[in-house]
Amino acid sequence: MGHGVPELVLESNGRTWTLDPSRAYTLGRDPQGDVVLDDARVSWRHATISFNGRSWVVEDHGSTNGTFVQGQRIHHLELSSDTELNLGNATDGPRVKLVGVGAQAGAPQGRPQQQPYAAQGAGWAQQAPAQQQPPAQQAPVQQPPAQHAGWQQQAQQPPVPQQSAPHIPQQGPGGGAGAPPVYGDRSPTTFHQFSLGRVMRIGRALENDLVVSDLQVSRHHAEFHSTPDGRMEIRDLGSHNGTYVNGQPIPKGGSQLLGPTDIVGVGHSTFRIVGDRLEEFVDTGEVSFSARHLTVTVDGGKQILKDVSFGVPEKSLIAVIGPSGSGKSTLLKALTGYRPANQGEVLYDNRNLYKQFAELRQRIGLVPQDDILHKELTVKKALKYAAKLRFPADTTAAEREARIDEVLRELKLDIHKEKKVTSLSGGQRKRVSVALELLTKPSLIFLDEPTSGLDPGMDRDVMQLLRGLADDGRTVLVVTHSVAELALCDKLLVMAPGGSVAYFGPPEEALNFFGYDSWADVFSAFENYRDYDWAGRWKGSQHYQMYAADIDAVAPQSVQVPAMQAMKPPKPQGWMSQFATLVRRYLAVIASDKGFLALMVILPAVLGAVSLLIDADKGLLPNPPNPKTGRIIPNGTATTVLLILAVGACFAGAANSVRELIKERVIYERERATGLSRSAYLMSKVFVLGMITVLQGLMVGVIGFTSREIPEEGLILGGATLLELSLPIMALGFTSMMFGLIISSLVKTAEKTMPLLVMFAIVQVVFTGCLFTLHGSIGVNQFSFLMPSRWAVAAAGATLDFNKISPPETPGDTDPLWEHTVGAWAMDMGALIAIGVVCGFFVARFLRRHEPEVMRK
């Protein structure tokens, strides 16, 4: 012990420790902690005892069940002689006795002792010293604010100075403002010695110099080189998930010289060069997380998120609640980087998430409100395809299988792995969504309304699952409407109308803070007094001094944070590999949907058969001229049959695709954030749906044309006239399918697709040219060129010689698109295919709107 430092002896469970004032001691269930208390009521990292230079102090780290002295809950306490702590329960929780605490030599002896912080605000106010009393508005309020004019006036005044307010560090290890940029003040996981001229290779394979057992890392990922002039260089070896320097990816296969402050990121590991030593920090989930002065402004200057600041230590569960319009979803998007805040910053263990999103996105899991998996697949198969897309291309099937089985066991889903997702209960489906995110071992997990639509029992199961995820070494933040299980959380963030913070702190103290008996009363007050300054009341409170003042103390940025650079994130899989995986998954989804398979066959069969009802004995050839007038009598059967076949192909093609993008929108958003190629996703849809639609078009054409008399010789394929007539129908189905994808990418709900589908089919009927003459109609004819049915009917009409089948009233005024020539047929088919390509371009553009904002450029 140093001179003058009081000795402290800790006794617990029959064991004794003599504490060294030069370090802090952790108490909790964590087997790696200093004092291990194996009791379910004790949190993983429950509390810390340390010497602050003046006295020994105990700090509760937001534990679920609390730390107690003489029956009263405390959060930060300077210890007096012979103090006894109870962890997890005030009366029978595990006991820790502290013996021999004394004042430091030379320290003031008559200093008033910090009083324990009681759970009830009124009792606390009576026991605390005068300078510790909370502002007047902190007193319990049993009625709406408007009925307490005095309380309302005081709430607007500056907060009472809190000179010796209790303090809880919100950053956890590494959270200090002046900490180094890698994992704060945490010691390196390990270090490696360098020698001049040596090459140190990093990767997952055992033959590397530095083996990183992380499936996010390629087998041979990167190399450290020492250059002849003594400098260090990092070279990427074509890794799949990328090598990062200060959060920014270096070119695939490229290299970058390193300075003394540069940080290299490889998977979940971070490296820093100190002298001739390489320090390695492995992200095992023990990370702090904080938001500082987040403000989101939408068009028109309206703020939907106002100056939100809070911080949480590692391994904690945080709930975010608030009424509709309080900015919960906006906050979630800002915290995950999906929609960065206009001002402020999000710190992931002291690293700016917005500026280093390319690297840190791999360590963040997001479970949206809707399920992020295909319900038609089995649990195991859904996770198999997700793992294939998210892990590097050089990951073996056995490695992926092992990780999937590990996650299924952790979430107790192994007994359900062969069941279809759609057959599971709501709570089990949410577990599968969580399992999908856990594949890549994220340190931060965000969930949006995971208990929405669940009964109270499932609500509890999901929240207990999240509690377990946090205790196992992750930081979990959940946005929820359910208030039944808030006691399981370490911290509670309450958002007020307008997007500001109304409360942040332990959930068990929140109702007392607001002065109401139930959350229904709190939410009613929010609704009835939307213009009240809830944020001002919070910032003037004792709770603010205890739980948020140190985060808010960092001055807000006077200018907006520069927009994140347009990022082209590294993709874990190559384009062809992603395309092949997406095609296989899509085919598996279709194959598991027996109803869709039946409809694929029945719909074109019915549409083709309907055409057979029209003058079944008549062919599709021009009628002979009238012997008296010499004029050709129009063959109305040919135009009617072609009209029915064309409309059938339009409807079948568009119906195949009109729901495809909207029903997978949530899945696409999440997978795009993890490195999915937009073009690979779109092309997988085009390929599979295109094949289906083309085969349906062939079926429609064969059924419609086979039983009728058609020309013996075609324009292009000679004697294969049946195929030549079917080709425009097949191409029309394909182009209509592309129109369906446009509709699916534009609508916000699947219910809106059907009216648009019907409207699309009706418009195609009008502009086929079979109902009335389009050629010569100024404006109408030009508009018809945008319709795929116009060109498909024209191509088939060119083969059948429609200018003779349906001659114009004015001789010589024939439709050039119907000319019985190779050139006319090729132009018609070319225009039809071109419309489909243009549609594909627009679908790709519209898909951008459903991606994280940082990845849209």
Side-chain angles (χ1 to χ4, degrees):
M1 295 289 178
H3 175 67
V5 175
E7 185 179 60
L8 180 62
V9 177
L10 185 149
E11 298 176 356
S12 179
N13 292 334
R15 296 186 61 192
T16 302
W17 292 262
T18 300
L19 304 192
D20 182 350
S22 66
R23 54 163 295 202
Y25 292 80
T26 59
L27 289 68
R29 291 201 339 268
D30 186 354
Q32 305 301 317
D34 300 299
V35 180
V36 182
L37 302 162
D38 190 15
D39 189 293
R41 296 167 294 179
V42 177
S43 294
W44 191 261
R45 285 201 166 188
H46 195 102
T48 300
I49 296 176
S50 60
F51 187 74
N52 65 5
R54 181 181 63 245
S55 58
W56 287 94
V57 294
V58 59
E59 294 179 0
D60 183 288
H61 282 297
S63 63
T64 303
N65 296 315
T67 303
F68 299 87
V69 174
Q70 296 178 356
Q72 295 177 324
R73 185 164 185 167
I74 60 100
H75 292 278
H76 178 106
L77 180 67
E78 293 188 0
L79 301 173
S80 58
S81 59
D82 295 347
T83 304
E84 284 192 2
L85 307 177
N86 285 91
L87 276 59
N89 187 282
T91 55
D92 62 351
R95 182 171 300 171
V96 177
K97 187 174 183 180
L98 306 165
V99 183
V101 182
Q104 181 180 359
Q109 297 299 312
R111 182 178 180 275
Q113 186 63 38
Q114 166 90 28
Q115 294 291 328
Y117 175 73
Q120 298 300 319
W124 185 92
Q126 294 167 5
Q127 296 170 24
Q131 74 271 22
Q132 288 283 358
Q133 290 189 18
Q137 73 269 23
Q138 189 66 11
V141 180
Q142 298 299 335
Q143 299 184 34
Q147 300 179 23
H148 286 261
W151 176 79
Q152 189 165 356
Q153 293 166 4
Q154 294 173 23
Q156 307 296 334
Q157 298 173 2
V160 177
Q162 308 291 336
Q163 297 301 326
S164 55
H167 168 69
I168 290 186
Q170 298 295 328
Q171 289 301 308
V182 184
Y183 298 112
D185 56 3
R186 195 169 302 143
S187 300
T189 308
T190 184
F191 62 88
H192 314 272
Q193 209 68 32
F194 265 125
S195 58
L196 192 63
R198 184 184 169 191
V199 174
M200 182 176 288
R201 176 173 290 186
I202 304 172
R204 205 173 70 247
L206 296 178
E207 62 266 22
N208 289 286
D209 302 297
L210 204 164
V211 179
V212 180
S213 56
D214 178 0
L215 290 183
Q216 294 285 74
V217 177
S218 298
R219 293 183 62 79
H220 300 97
H221 197 104
E223 288 178 344
F224 282 101
H225 287 254
S226 58
T227 60
D229 60 358
R231 301 179 68 184
M232 295 303 301
E233 180 183 60
I234 181 70
R235 294 181 185 174
D236 182 83
L237 298 178
S239 64
H240 298 280
N241 276 324
T243 303
Y244 301 83
V245 176
N246 301 324
Q248 301 302 316
I250 64 175
K252 193 168 186 176
S255 62
Q256 184 169 330
L257 285 171
L258 300 175
T261 60
D262 288 337
I263 304 159
V264 177
V266 174
H268 285 80
S269 295
T270 309
F271 301 90
R272 178 173 59 186
I273 296 172
V274 180
D276 61 350
R277 197 170 73 168
L278 179 67
E279 296 184 344
E280 179 182 3
F281 300 80
V282 179
D283 185 349
T284 57
E286 298 178 349
V287 296
S288 59
F289 183 75
S290 65
R292 292 180 176 172
H293 304 289
L294 296 183
T295 298
V296 173
T297 306
V298 294
D299 296 338
K302 181 183 178 182
Q303 289 186 342
I304 55 177
L305 204 65
K306 299 178 182 177
D307 196 28
V308 174
S309 297
F310 67 94
V312 294
E314 60 195 44
K315 298 183 180 180
S316 45
L317 174 60
I318 307 96
V320 180
I321 65 171
S324 299
S326 60
K328 299 188 300 296
S329 296
T330 303
L331 174 63
L332 190 65
K333 291 179 180 178
L335 294 176
T336 56
Y338 268 45
R339 198 292 186 196
N342 301 99
Q343 289 180 298
E345 58 186 0
V346 177
L347 297 182
Y348 175 101
D349 221 22
N350 244 19
R351 301 176 66 185
N352 191 307
L353 175 66
Y354 293 166
K355 294 179 180 178
Q356 303 186 29
F357 183 78
E359 177 186 355
L360 297 180
R361 69 188 176 92
Q362 301 180 41
R363 308 188 193 180
I364 295 176
L366 173 62
V367 181
Q369 183 173 347
D370 298 321
D371 293 326
I372 50 175
L373 31 83
H374 293 85
K375 298 178 182 178
E376 302 87 353
L377 301 178
T378 64
V379 172
K380 186 75 175 284
K381 192 170 285 188
L383 293 181
K384 184 186 79 171
Y385 286 118
K388 178 72 173 168
L389 287 171
R390 296 193 182 193
F391 288 138
D394 62 2
T395 309
T396 65
E399 288 175 315
R400 292 194 299 268
E401 191 94 1
R403 179 58 188 152
I404 291 171
D405 290 340
E406 183 182 349
V407 170
L408 288 174
R409 285 194 301 272
E410 180 180 359
L411 298 184
K412 297 179 176 59
L413 287 169
D414 44 342
I415 59 174
H416 304 295
K417 64 182 180 181
E418 299 303 331
K419 296 180 182 177
K420 284 190 176 183
V421 175
T422 188
S423 69
L424 301 178
S425 67
Q428 289 169 341
R429 280 204 303 272
K430 193 58 63 177
R431 281 177 178 264
V432 179
S433 291
V434 173
L436 192 152
E437 289 301 310
L438 290 185
L439 289 174
T440 54
K441 297 186 178 180
S443 302
L444 278 172
I445 302 177
F446 296 90
L447 300 100
D448 188 8
E449 301 286 358
T451 60
S452 178
L454 302 184
D455 61 50
M458 289 184 180
D459 182 353
R460 176 182 298 172
D461 288 344
V462 171
M463 291 302 291
Q464 287 178 339
L465 164 68
L466 303 184
R467 176 72 262 169
L469 293 178
D471 289 341
D472 287 342
R474 306 172 185 92
T475 298
V476 182
L477 186 143
V478 53
V479 174
T480 181
H481 275 111
S482 174
V483 296
E485 304 297 331
L486 294 180
L488 290 171
C489 302
D490 298 306
K491 291 288 190 296
L492 174 64
L493 176 66
V494 182
M495 301 294 291
S500 56
V501 177
Y503 172 83
F504 178 72
E508 64 271 16
E509 299 172 17
L511 284 175
N512 180 67
F513 170 82
F514 287 107
Y516 290 98
D517 296 326
S518 71
W519 283 108
D521 294 333
V522 175
F523 279 45
S524 293
F526 282 150
E527 181 63 31
N528 295 332
Y529 305 99
R530 298 184 71 89
D531 295 332
Y532 180 75
D533 186 12
W534 296 101
R537 177 175 186 260
W538 157 242
K539 291 191 175 182
S541 70
Q542 179 73 16
H543 284 74
Y544 171 80
Q545 296 296 328
M546 296 177 68
Y547 303 115
D550 58 338
I551 294 293
D552 234 8
V554 181
Q557 300 185 10
S558 58
V559 295
Q560 290 190 350
V561 176
M564 284 185 285
Q565 297 176 348
M567 180 195 59
K568 193 172 183 180
K571 296 177 176 60
Q573 303 278 331
W575 192 94
M576 277 305 299
S577 178
Q578 286 193 358
F579 173 75
T581 300
L582 290 166
V583 167
R584 285 198 299 271
R585 182 175 71 180
Y586 194 19
L587 289 174
V589 170
I590 291 175
S592 65
D593 190 343
K594 301 299 188 292
F596 183 73
L597 285 173
L599 190 63
M600 277 170 45
V601 177
I602 294 173
L603 181 62
V606 170
L607 293 173
V610 166
S611 69
L612 299 178
L613 302 176
I614 310 299
D615 295 330
D617 57 334
K618 288 191 176 182
L620 305 180
L621 298 175
N623 287 325
N626 187 315
K628 294 182 179 180
T629 64
R631 289 180 57 83
I632 296 176
I633 301 172
N635 183 355
T637 300
T639 54
T640 304
V641 167
L642 203 54
L643 171 66
I644 291 175
L645 296 180
V647 172
C650 281
F651 189 83
N656 285 340
S657 61
V658 77
R659 289 175 178 264
E660 283 309 305
L661 299 183
I662 180 65
K663 76 179 184 181
E664 289 188 2
R665 182 162 296 170
V666 177
I667 299 174
Y668 173 73
E669 287 178 359
R670 183 68 195 117
E671 291 184 341
R672 177 72 175 131
T674 60
L676 180 68
S677 165
R678 181 195 308 147
S679 59
Y681 175 79
L682 179 56
M683 285 306 297
S684 71
K685 295 292 183 189
V686 172
F687 178 78
V688 175
L689 291 173
M691 292 292 292
I692 293 172
T693 305
V694 165
L695 290 174
Q696 288 178 327
L698 179 62
M699 187 184 301
V700 169
V702 168
I703 294 174
F705 292 126
T706 298
S707 63
R708 298 185 185 273
E709 187 180 1
I710 57 177
E712 294 181 2
E713 291 288 328
L715 287 170
I716 304 296
L717 301 180
T721 310
L722 178 61
L723 178 59
E724 186 176 315
L725 286 172
S726 299
L727 282 176
I729 304 300
M730 295 156 68
L732 176 59
F734 179 86
T735 303
S736 299
M737 179 270 295
M738 298 301 293
F739 265 97
L741 288 179
I742 287 183
I743 294 173
S744 193
S745 65
L746 284 174
V747 296
K748 292 185 177 179
T749 62
E751 289 73 21
K752 295 180 180 178
T753 59
M754 294 314 295
L756 293 174
L757 172 62
V758 172
M759 183 180 71
F760 170 75
I762 290 175
V763 170
Q764 298 312 305
V765 172
V766 174
F767 289 100
T768 54
C770 297
L771 294 180
F772 60 91
T773 302
L774 291 172
H775 177 63
S777 301
I778 305 300
V780 176
N781 188 41
Q782 285 70 28
F783 182 74
S784 73
F785 294 161
L786 300 175
M787 304 298 149
S789 63
R790 170 74 159 119
W791 297 101
V793 169
T799 299
L800 294 172
D801 199 357
F802 255 28
N803 280 324
K804 288 185 178 180
I805 286 179
S806 183
E809 294 182 3
T810 304
D813 192 18
T814 57
D815 192 333
L817 302 186
W818 291 358
E819 290 292 336
H820 188 59
T821 64
V822 172
W825 189 92
M827 181 182 69
D828 295 339
M829 289 295 290
L832 183 57
I833 294 171
I835 291 174
V837 172
V838 171
C839 287
F841 171 79
F842 280 109
V843 174
R845 299 293 294 178
F846 295 146
L847 272 177
R848 291 174 63 251
R849 303 187 311 162
H850 310 298
E851 299 173 2
E853 187 171 300
V854 68
M855 302 175 68
R856 292 181 187 174
K857 297 181 180 178

